[in-house]
Amino acid sequence: MLGYVDALNAVDEAVRAAIPSLERLGDVLGLIRSRRIISRSGQVGTYFYTVHGAGCRFVSDDGTVVDVDFAANGSEIFDLWRLRCYGLSLPEPLDVTDQNLQTAVRSLQSLLTEVRPGWFSIAG
């Protein structure tokens, strides 16, 4: 669980370093939709990305997947499915049950905010 948060922060740093005009990761959707700077899929920094619906899937050079959606306000949000995909994509895959993921999410209430049922964002 904390690994996903760290990986999401690493994606954010890498993308904002590659595109200094971004104030936050969620702004990448606006750039893609306006067809400025980047396209719907490609590479930015050390990550390959593909835009989907309200989010983006980032894949690092070691194959680790960080899939994230963006709320209307541009904040990053994720659900248990995205956490599970992250775990399964690790160099040493981690297959965790939904129940274990829910327990992990509950144990991190000081770090995560449930923005709608089953969807979380990093608090702060």
Side-chain angles (χ1 to χ4, degrees):
M1 178 67 228
L2 288 176
Y4 176 88
V5 172
D6 289 342
L8 182 57
N9 286 332
V11 166
D12 180 53
E13 288 176 21
V15 172
R16 289 191 302 133
I19 308 171
S21 64
L22 287 183
E23 290 184 30
R24 61 183 173 179
L25 187 58
D27 295 339
V28 77
L29 287 184
L31 291 178
I32 291 166
R33 289 182 178 141
S34 68
R35 300 195 194 301
R36 293 183 307 173
I37 301 177
I38 58 177
S39 62
R40 293 189 63 80
S41 64
Q43 185 173 1
V44 63
T46 59
Y47 294 89
F48 291 93
Y49 70 90
T50 305
V51 172
H52 59 73
C56 199
R57 175 183 175 104
F58 296 92
V59 181
S60 69
D61 53 3
D62 72 358
T64 301
V65 174
V66 178
D67 195 312
V68 62
D69 271 13
F70 301 103
N73 67 2
S75 64
E76 298 102 2
I77 59 174
F78 50 89
D79 59 1
L80 298 181
W81 181 82
R82 283 164 178 74
L83 294 174
R84 175 172 248 187
C85 288
Y86 166 79
L88 291 171
S89 73
L90 293 171
E92 293 185 31
L94 181 61
D95 191 4
V96 182
T97 66
D98 281 352
Q99 183 176 1
N100 287 344
L101 285 170
Q102 289 170 348
T103 300
V105 166
R106 281 194 299 274
S107 74
L108 297 171
Q109 287 180 352
S110 62
L111 177 64
L112 302 177
T113 301
E114 190 167 11
V115 295
R116 63 181 188 247
W119 286 84
F120 306 91
S121 70
I122 301 170

mmCIF file of all heavy atoms in Angstrom, residues 1 4 52 54-56 67-71 75-83 102 105 112-122:
data_model
loop_
_atom_site.group_PDB
_atom_site.id
_atom_site.type_symbol
_atom_site.label_atom_id
_atom_site.label_comp_id
_atom_site.label_asym_id
_atom_site.label_seq_id
_atom_site.Cartn_x
_atom_site.Cartn_y
_atom_site.Cartn_z
ATOM 1 N N MET A 1 0.822 -1.193 0.000
ATOM 2 C CA MET A 1 0.000 0.000 0.000
ATOM 3 C C MET A 1 0.865 1.256 0.000
ATOM 4 O O MET A 1 0.674 2.132 -0.807
ATOM 5 C CB MET A 1 -0.913 -0.085 1.227
ATOM 6 C CG MET A 1 -1.811 1.064 1.463
ATOM 7 S SD MET A 1 -3.027 1.165 0.177
ATOM 8 C CE MET A 1 -2.870 2.851 -0.194
ATOM 9 N N TYR A 4 2.626 1.810 -3.304
ATOM 10 C CA TYR A 4 1.854 2.495 -4.346
ATOM 11 C C TYR A 4 1.946 4.002 -4.150
ATOM 12 O O TYR A 4 2.171 4.747 -5.108
ATOM 13 C CB TYR A 4 0.384 2.044 -4.323
ATOM 14 C CG TYR A 4 -0.472 2.800 -5.311
ATOM 15 C CD1 TYR A 4 -0.597 2.364 -6.616
ATOM 16 C CD2 TYR A 4 -1.136 3.963 -4.942
ATOM 17 C CE1 TYR A 4 -1.364 3.068 -7.538
ATOM 18 C CE2 TYR A 4 -1.896 4.679 -5.846
ATOM 19 C CZ TYR A 4 -2.010 4.230 -7.141
ATOM 20 O OH TYR A 4 -2.768 4.941 -8.052
ATOM 21 N N HIS A 52 -6.575 7.082 -20.125
ATOM 22 C CA HIS A 52 -7.840 6.346 -20.214
ATOM 23 C C HIS A 52 -8.898 7.113 -19.433
ATOM 24 O O HIS A 52 -8.646 7.547 -18.316
ATOM 25 C CB HIS A 52 -7.683 4.934 -19.650
ATOM 26 C CG HIS A 52 -7.243 4.910 -18.220
ATOM 27 N ND1 HIS A 52 -8.069 5.256 -17.170
ATOM 28 C CD2 HIS A 52 -6.046 4.597 -17.671
ATOM 29 C CE1 HIS A 52 -7.410 5.138 -16.031
ATOM 30 N NE2 HIS A 52 -6.169 4.758 -16.304
ATOM 31 N N ALA A 54 -10.836 8.981 -17.141
ATOM 32 C CA ALA A 54 -10.515 10.049 -16.196
ATOM 33 C C ALA A 54 -9.143 9.871 -15.571
ATOM 34 O O ALA A 54 -8.862 10.424 -14.521
ATOM 35 C CB ALA A 54 -11.576 10.091 -15.103
ATOM 36 N N GLY A 55 -8.283 9.095 -16.207
ATOM 37 C CA GLY A 55 -6.993 8.841 -15.569
ATOM 38 C C GLY A 55 -5.897 8.495 -16.541
ATOM 39 O O GLY A 55 -6.006 8.687 -17.747
ATOM 40 N N CYS A 56 -4.838 7.957 -15.958
ATOM 41 C CA CYS A 56 -3.662 7.635 -16.737
ATOM 42 C C CYS A 56 -2.961 6.434 -16.110
ATOM 43 O O CYS A 56 -2.945 6.276 -14.891
ATOM 44 C CB CYS A 56 -2.727 8.849 -16.743
ATOM 45 S SG CYS A 56 -1.504 8.838 -18.055
ATOM 46 N N ASP A 67 -1.496 3.053 -11.948
ATOM 47 C CA ASP A 67 -2.694 3.523 -12.635
ATOM 48 C C ASP A 67 -3.430 4.447 -11.670
ATOM 49 O O ASP A 67 -3.632 4.102 -10.507
ATOM 50 C CB ASP A 67 -3.578 2.328 -13.017
ATOM 51 C CG ASP A 67 -4.638 2.698 -14.023
ATOM 52 O OD1 ASP A 67 -5.323 3.718 -13.827
ATOM 53 O OD2 ASP A 67 -4.792 1.963 -15.010
ATOM 54 N N VAL A 68 -3.800 5.602 -12.142
ATOM 55 C CA VAL A 68 -4.436 6.592 -11.280
ATOM 56 C C VAL A 68 -5.526 7.311 -12.061
ATOM 57 O O VAL A 68 -5.408 7.523 -13.267
ATOM 58 C CB VAL A 68 -3.380 7.587 -10.729
ATOM 59 C CG1 VAL A 68 -2.717 8.359 -11.845
ATOM 60 C CG2 VAL A 68 -3.958 8.503 -9.674
ATOM 61 N N ASP A 69 -6.610 7.632 -11.383
ATOM 62 C CA ASP A 69 -7.649 8.477 -11.954
ATOM 63 C C ASP A 69 -7.497 9.856 -11.325
ATOM 64 O O ASP A 69 -6.805 10.024 -10.317
ATOM 65 C CB ASP A 69 -9.039 7.919 -11.653
ATOM 66 C CG ASP A 69 -9.518 6.934 -12.703
ATOM 67 O OD1 ASP A 69 -8.694 6.488 -13.533
ATOM 68 O OD2 ASP A 69 -10.707 6.590 -12.688
ATOM 69 N N PHE A 70 -8.171 10.824 -11.911
ATOM 70 C CA PHE A 70 -8.122 12.178 -11.384
ATOM 71 C C PHE A 70 -9.540 12.649 -11.099
ATOM 72 O O PHE A 70 -10.438 12.497 -11.928
ATOM 73 C CB PHE A 70 -7.432 13.120 -12.375
ATOM 74 C CG PHE A 70 -6.022 12.685 -12.690
ATOM 75 C CD1 PHE A 70 -5.738 12.050 -13.886
ATOM 76 C CD2 PHE A 70 -5.005 12.880 -11.777
ATOM 77 C CE1 PHE A 70 -4.447 11.629 -14.184
ATOM 78 C CE2 PHE A 70 -3.713 12.450 -12.056
ATOM 79 C CZ PHE A 70 -3.441 11.834 -13.257
ATOM 80 N N ALA A 71 -9.737 13.212 -9.925
ATOM 81 C CA ALA A 71 -11.035 13.766 -9.541
ATOM 82 C C ALA A 71 -11.273 15.047 -10.340
ATOM 83 O O ALA A 71 -10.368 15.568 -10.997
ATOM 84 C CB ALA A 71 -11.055 14.050 -8.038
ATOM 85 N N SER A 75 -7.173 16.165 -8.323
ATOM 86 C CA SER A 75 -6.415 15.356 -7.360
ATOM 87 C C SER A 75 -6.373 13.897 -7.801
ATOM 88 O O SER A 75 -7.261 13.418 -8.500
ATOM 89 C CB SER A 75 -7.005 15.483 -5.957
ATOM 90 O OG SER A 75 -8.312 14.963 -5.922
ATOM 91 N N GLU A 76 -5.308 13.208 -7.397
ATOM 92 C CA GLU A 76 -5.142 11.800 -7.749
ATOM 93 C C GLU A 76 -6.029 10.939 -6.867
ATOM 94 O O GLU A 76 -6.047 11.109 -5.650
ATOM 95 C CB GLU A 76 -3.683 11.360 -7.557
ATOM 96 C CG GLU A 76 -2.698 12.086 -8.419
ATOM 97 C CD GLU A 76 -1.939 13.169 -7.668
ATOM 98 O OE1 GLU A 76 -2.148 13.341 -6.461
ATOM 99 O OE2 GLU A 76 -1.127 13.851 -8.307
ATOM 100 N N ILE A 77 -6.759 10.007 -7.487
ATOM 101 C CA ILE A 77 -7.591 9.070 -6.737
ATOM 102 C C ILE A 77 -7.351 7.658 -7.272
ATOM 103 O O ILE A 77 -6.973 7.483 -8.423
ATOM 104 C CB ILE A 77 -9.094 9.436 -6.786
ATOM 105 C CG1 ILE A 77 -9.616 9.470 -8.226
ATOM 106 C CG2 ILE A 77 -9.348 10.770 -6.090
ATOM 107 C CD1 ILE A 77 -11.120 9.675 -8.330
ATOM 108 N N PHE A 78 -7.557 6.677 -6.405
ATOM 109 C CA PHE A 78 -7.325 5.281 -6.772
ATOM 110 C C PHE A 78 -8.224 4.392 -5.949
ATOM 111 O O PHE A 78 -8.737 4.782 -4.903
ATOM 112 C CB PHE A 78 -5.848 4.911 -6.584
ATOM 113 C CG PHE A 78 -5.306 5.292 -5.234
ATOM 114 C CD1 PHE A 78 -5.382 4.420 -4.165
ATOM 115 C CD2 PHE A 78 -4.734 6.542 -5.043
ATOM 116 C CE1 PHE A 78 -4.891 4.772 -2.925
ATOM 117 C CE2 PHE A 78 -4.232 6.910 -3.799
ATOM 118 C CZ PHE A 78 -4.311 6.020 -2.741
ATOM 119 N N ASP A 79 -8.424 3.186 -6.453
ATOM 120 C CA ASP A 79 -9.267 2.213 -5.772
ATOM 121 C C ASP A 79 -8.469 0.934 -5.529
ATOM 122 O O ASP A 79 -7.288 0.854 -5.854
ATOM 123 C CB ASP A 79 -10.539 1.938 -6.583
ATOM 124 C CG ASP A 79 -10.265 1.408 -7.978
ATOM 125 O OD1 ASP A 79 -9.086 1.224 -8.352
ATOM 126 O OD2 ASP A 79 -11.231 1.156 -8.703
ATOM 127 N N LEU A 80 -9.126 -0.063 -4.950
ATOM 128 C CA LEU A 80 -8.448 -1.314 -4.627
ATOM 129 C C LEU A 80 -7.938 -2.024 -5.873
ATOM 130 O O LEU A 80 -6.884 -2.651 -5.847
ATOM 131 C CB LEU A 80 -9.366 -2.236 -3.819
ATOM 132 C CG LEU A 80 -9.820 -1.702 -2.462
ATOM 133 C CD1 LEU A 80 -10.715 -2.728 -1.762
ATOM 134 C CD2 LEU A 80 -8.658 -1.297 -1.582
ATOM 135 N N TRP A 81 -8.683 -1.935 -6.978
ATOM 136 C CA TRP A 81 -8.254 -2.573 -8.220
ATOM 137 C C TRP A 81 -6.908 -2.013 -8.662
ATOM 138 O O TRP A 81 -6.021 -2.755 -9.072
ATOM 139 C CB TRP A 81 -9.309 -2.371 -9.308
ATOM 140 C CG TRP A 81 -8.935 -3.010 -10.598
ATOM 141 C CD1 TRP A 81 -9.095 -4.323 -10.945
ATOM 142 C CD2 TRP A 81 -8.308 -2.379 -11.718
ATOM 143 N NE1 TRP A 81 -8.610 -4.536 -12.228
ATOM 144 C CE2 TRP A 81 -8.120 -3.353 -12.712
ATOM 145 C CE3 TRP A 81 -7.894 -1.076 -11.974
ATOM 146 C CZ2 TRP A 81 -7.537 -3.068 -13.944
ATOM 147 C CZ3 TRP A 81 -7.308 -0.789 -13.205
ATOM 148 C CH2 TRP A 81 -7.139 -1.785 -14.169
ATOM 149 N N ARG A 82 -6.720 -0.703 -8.586
ATOM 150 C CA ARG A 82 -5.455 -0.081 -8.981
ATOM 151 C C ARG A 82 -4.323 -0.487 -8.038
ATOM 152 O O ARG A 82 -3.196 -0.700 -8.472
ATOM 153 C CB ARG A 82 -5.615 1.435 -9.046
ATOM 154 C CG ARG A 82 -6.354 1.845 -10.311
ATOM 155 C CD ARG A 82 -6.897 3.259 -10.268
ATOM 156 N NE ARG A 82 -7.536 3.565 -11.534
ATOM 157 C CZ ARG A 82 -8.718 3.083 -11.916
ATOM 158 N NH1 ARG A 82 -9.392 2.268 -11.143
ATOM 159 N NH2 ARG A 82 -9.227 3.397 -13.089
ATOM 160 N N LEU A 83 -4.629 -0.613 -6.758
ATOM 161 C CA LEU A 83 -3.621 -1.073 -5.799
ATOM 162 C C LEU A 83 -3.202 -2.509 -6.113
ATOM 163 O O LEU A 83 -2.015 -2.849 -6.072
ATOM 164 C CB LEU A 83 -4.152 -0.985 -4.373
ATOM 165 C CG LEU A 83 -4.432 0.427 -3.851
ATOM 166 C CD1 LEU A 83 -5.090 0.355 -2.478
ATOM 167 C CD2 LEU A 83 -3.170 1.263 -3.818
ATOM 168 N N GLN A 102 -8.290 -3.780 1.902
ATOM 169 C CA GLN A 102 -9.187 -2.951 2.713
ATOM 170 C C GLN A 102 -8.627 -2.745 4.112
ATOM 171 O O GLN A 102 -8.689 -1.643 4.663
ATOM 172 C CB GLN A 102 -10.579 -3.579 2.766
ATOM 173 C CG GLN A 102 -11.312 -3.485 1.453
ATOM 174 C CD GLN A 102 -12.586 -4.306 1.419
ATOM 175 O OE1 GLN A 102 -12.849 -5.125 2.285
ATOM 176 N NE2 GLN A 102 -13.393 -4.080 0.392
ATOM 177 N N VAL A 105 -5.811 -0.234 3.842
ATOM 178 C CA VAL A 105 -6.325 1.116 3.640
ATOM 179 C C VAL A 105 -6.848 1.675 4.966
ATOM 180 O O VAL A 105 -6.570 2.823 5.320
ATOM 181 C CB VAL A 105 -7.414 1.124 2.550
ATOM 182 C CG1 VAL A 105 -8.197 2.412 2.557
ATOM 183 C CG2 VAL A 105 -6.786 0.895 1.182
ATOM 184 N N LEU A 112 -4.494 8.447 4.099
ATOM 185 C CA LEU A 112 -5.449 8.400 2.985
ATOM 186 C C LEU A 112 -6.791 8.972 3.376
ATOM 187 O O LEU A 112 -7.211 8.888 4.527
ATOM 188 C CB LEU A 112 -5.649 6.948 2.536
ATOM 189 C CG LEU A 112 -4.407 6.193 2.090
ATOM 190 C CD1 LEU A 112 -4.779 4.759 1.743
ATOM 191 C CD2 LEU A 112 -3.738 6.876 0.916
ATOM 192 N N THR A 113 -7.485 9.516 2.396
ATOM 193 C CA THR A 113 -8.840 10.017 2.567
ATOM 194 C C THR A 113 -9.740 9.261 1.603
ATOM 195 O O THR A 113 -9.406 9.148 0.417
ATOM 196 C CB THR A 113 -8.906 11.527 2.235
ATOM 197 O OG1 THR A 113 -8.006 12.222 3.090
ATOM 198 C CG2 THR A 113 -10.316 12.062 2.395
ATOM 199 N N GLU A 114 -10.855 8.738 2.084
ATOM 200 C CA GLU A 114 -11.814 8.088 1.194
ATOM 201 C C GLU A 114 -12.688 9.189 0.604
ATOM 202 O O GLU A 114 -13.477 9.810 1.294
ATOM 203 C CB GLU A 114 -12.641 7.041 1.940
ATOM 204 C CG GLU A 114 -13.475 6.192 0.999
ATOM 205 C CD GLU A 114 -14.066 4.951 1.665
ATOM 206 O OE1 GLU A 114 -14.011 4.852 2.903
ATOM 207 O OE2 GLU A 114 -14.574 4.100 0.933
ATOM 208 N N VAL A 115 -12.510 9.451 -0.685
ATOM 209 C CA VAL A 115 -13.190 10.570 -1.337
ATOM 210 C C VAL A 115 -14.594 10.213 -1.800
ATOM 211 O O VAL A 115 -15.439 11.083 -1.970
ATOM 212 C CB VAL A 115 -12.365 11.139 -2.505
ATOM 213 C CG1 VAL A 115 -11.076 11.754 -1.990
ATOM 214 C CG2 VAL A 115 -12.065 10.081 -3.548
ATOM 215 N N ARG A 116 -14.810 8.948 -2.042
ATOM 216 C CA ARG A 116 -16.133 8.388 -2.318
ATOM 217 C C ARG A 116 -15.991 6.901 -2.031
ATOM 218 O O ARG A 116 -14.874 6.398 -1.942
ATOM 219 C CB ARG A 116 -16.615 8.689 -3.732
ATOM 220 C CG ARG A 116 -15.792 8.122 -4.855
ATOM 221 C CD ARG A 116 -16.394 8.543 -6.210
ATOM 222 N NE ARG A 116 -15.741 7.879 -7.292
ATOM 223 C CZ ARG A 116 -14.996 8.479 -8.204
ATOM 224 N NH1 ARG A 116 -14.832 9.785 -8.154
ATOM 225 N NH2 ARG A 116 -14.430 7.791 -9.175
ATOM 226 N N PRO A 117 -17.088 6.191 -1.861
ATOM 227 C CA PRO A 117 -16.967 4.787 -1.459
ATOM 228 C C PRO A 117 -16.009 3.993 -2.343
ATOM 229 O O PRO A 117 -16.185 3.919 -3.553
ATOM 230 C CB PRO A 117 -18.398 4.272 -1.556
ATOM 231 C CG PRO A 117 -19.245 5.485 -1.306
ATOM 232 C CD PRO A 117 -18.491 6.610 -1.970
ATOM 233 N N GLY A 118 -14.956 3.471 -1.716
ATOM 234 C CA GLY A 118 -13.996 2.634 -2.416
ATOM 235 C C GLY A 118 -12.901 3.358 -3.177
ATOM 236 O O GLY A 118 -12.040 2.738 -3.775
ATOM 237 N N TRP A 119 -12.915 4.677 -3.144
ATOM 238 C CA TRP A 119 -11.916 5.494 -3.853
ATOM 239 C C TRP A 119 -11.177 6.353 -2.840
ATOM 240 O O TRP A 119 -11.796 6.968 -1.964
ATOM 241 C CB TRP A 119 -12.580 6.378 -4.900
ATOM 242 C CG TRP A 119 -13.010 5.604 -6.088
ATOM 243 C CD1 TRP A 119 -14.181 4.901 -6.234
ATOM 244 C CD2 TRP A 119 -12.270 5.414 -7.282
ATOM 245 N NE1 TRP A 119 -14.202 4.306 -7.464
ATOM 246 C CE2 TRP A 119 -13.045 4.603 -8.124
ATOM 247 C CE3 TRP A 119 -11.031 5.856 -7.731
ATOM 248 C CZ2 TRP A 119 -12.617 4.222 -9.393
ATOM 249 C CZ3 TRP A 119 -10.607 5.495 -8.984
ATOM 250 C CH2 TRP A 119 -11.402 4.679 -9.802
ATOM 251 N N PHE A 120 -9.855 6.435 -3.013
ATOM 252 C CA PHE A 120 -9.012 7.077 -2.020
ATOM 253 C C PHE A 120 -8.085 8.090 -2.658
ATOM 254 O O PHE A 120 -7.755 8.000 -3.841
ATOM 255 C CB PHE A 120 -8.171 6.025 -1.283
ATOM 256 C CG PHE A 120 -9.016 4.928 -0.704
ATOM 257 C CD1 PHE A 120 -9.295 3.782 -1.430
ATOM 258 C CD2 PHE A 120 -9.577 5.067 0.561
ATOM 259 C CE1 PHE A 120 -10.098 2.794 -0.921
ATOM 260 C CE2 PHE A 120 -10.390 4.069 1.084
ATOM 261 C CZ PHE A 120 -10.650 2.932 0.346
ATOM 262 N N SER A 121 -7.653 9.038 -1.845
ATOM 263 C CA SER A 121 -6.616 9.988 -2.261
ATOM 264 C C SER A 121 -5.645 10.121 -1.099
ATOM 265 O O SER A 121 -5.948 9.741 0.032
ATOM 266 C CB SER A 121 -7.206 11.345 -2.639
ATOM 267 O OG SER A 121 -7.699 12.013 -1.498
ATOM 268 N N ILE A 122 -4.494 10.657 -1.396
ATOM 269 C CA ILE A 122 -3.500 10.895 -0.358
ATOM 270 C C ILE A 122 -3.913 12.147 0.405
ATOM 271 O O ILE A 122 -4.170 13.191 -0.203
ATOM 272 C CB ILE A 122 -2.096 11.037 -0.981
ATOM 273 C CG1 ILE A 122 -1.741 9.768 -1.744
ATOM 274 C CG2 ILE A 122 -1.056 11.345 0.085
ATOM 275 C CD1 ILE A 122 -0.507 9.871 -2.601
#
